[in-house]
Amino acid sequence: MKRISRISVTSVVVLALTSASVAAADDGPGPLGVTADTVASRRSARVGALFGADRAGRPAGGHFCTASVVHSPRGDLIVTAAHCVDGAGGDLVFVPGYRDGRSPYGVWKVTRRFLPDGWAEGQDEDSDLALATVAGRDGRRLEDVVGANRFATGVATGATAVTVTGYPDSRETPISCTNRPTAHSRTQQRIDCPDFTGGTSGSPWVNGDAQVVGVLGGHEQGGATADTSYSVVLGREAAELYQDATAGDRAG
């Protein structure tokens, strides 16, 4: 998961929920590159924390990565970083909208994990991406409960600003930051946002069209410092991964 050389959460800024103070992911008004406590909303509830299944009944302090809901035909799909779910011992659960030890939208058991060939065969940092399905609860699908962003491939890096939302493992509430990504290489993109420490691996990069165009991970498993984060460029391999993860949906 994201490696950091220091832990710094004191500079996280709490911003008022106004158009003048919250930066929109489509380059609307507001400061860029400022990290703030995430305002609880139905949209932010699409982002959640990953836990080992043994912590499902006592989640406080046990989360280790971030994931988010992406649209699928069966409404049961989440996206995160490959290094978050590959080799994770035992079963995992996803808690959307997790805050302060509470699970306002339920606890969802991860049922299947999908990894790109590049990661499965050699942990290639250009393939640090994963999709996973979750089981339904009480006859309802995850997407029915919290909605979903769309998983978008082939979007040019930096076409618009994006909002990154994640769960530092030293905090019990999520943080968000909006900024414009830049190219790190042909296969990697980067964003400058402070205080994205360990635990934020898997955080979605969401543009103003509610599309996930990046997932925190990739180079140095997301970044060696808290202030610059990375994502693989979501290209052909990401599109094939999504097809694999939803193939059963189409067949079913």
Side-chain angles (χ1 to χ4, degrees):
M1 59 195 63
K2 180 167 183 174
R3 300 191 300 271
I4 55 171
S5 58
R6 58 186 174 81
I7 300 286
S8 173
V9 297
T10 57
S11 61
V12 174
V13 180
V14 180
L15 299 179
L17 183 59
T18 68
S19 60
S21 63
V22 177
D26 58 356
D27 293 341
L32 298 178
V34 176
T35 297
D37 288 331
T38 304
V39 176
S41 68
R42 290 303 299 266
R43 178 163 290 193
S44 67
R46 299 171 186 175
V47 183
L50 288 173
F51 297 80
D54 59 335
R55 298 299 299 266
R58 47 184 180 87
H63 53 91
F64 64 92
C65 267
T66 302
S68 66
V69 187
V70 290
H71 174 68
S72 66
R74 289 190 177 175
D76 62 352
L77 198 62
I78 60 175
V79 64
T80 187
H83 72 263
C84 286
V85 297
D86 182 31
D91 294 331
L92 301 178
V93 295
F94 171 65
V95 184
Y98 172 77
R99 283 175 182 267
D100 295 319
R102 297 188 295 275
S103 309
Y105 302 98
V107 175
W108 302 76
K109 182 179 179 180
V110 173
T111 54
R112 294 190 66 187
R113 311 175 198 186
F114 299 86
L115 301 171
D117 290 341
W119 183 269
E121 294 170 1
Q123 294 191 345
D124 184 348
E125 70 175 18
D126 290 337
S127 301
D128 191 6
L129 178 73
L131 292 165
T133 55
V134 299
R137 298 181 70 251
D138 302 323
R140 302 187 71 188
R141 309 178 306 170
L142 174 60
E143 195 169 328
D144 294 333
V145 177
V146 297
N149 296 312
R150 291 193 173 271
F151 187 69
T153 61
V155 177
T157 297
T160 67
V162 301
T163 296
V164 185
T165 300
Y167 285 83
D169 55 19
S170 58
R171 293 171 55 90
E172 291 299 284
T173 54
I175 58 174
S176 296
C177 172
T178 299
N179 210 344
R180 185 183 290 271
T182 58
H184 174 70
S185 68
R186 182 179 59 82
T187 54
Q188 298 277 340
Q189 50 188 328
R190 57 175 281 172
I191 194 166
D192 292 327
C193 280
D195 299 303
F196 276 76
T197 56
T200 58
S201 288
S203 299
W205 300 17
V206 183
N207 67 16
D209 294 323
Q211 296 174 324
V212 175
V213 297
V215 175
L216 201 154
H219 181 58
E220 297 176 326
Q221 294 193 356
T225 71
D227 296 338
T228 299
S229 299
Y230 297 86
S231 166
V232 301
V233 173
L234 302 187
R236 184 177 66 181
E237 187 176 50
E240 292 173 351
L241 183 68
Y242 182 82
Q243 291 174 356
D244 289 343
T246 58
D249 294 7
R250 294 191 298 272

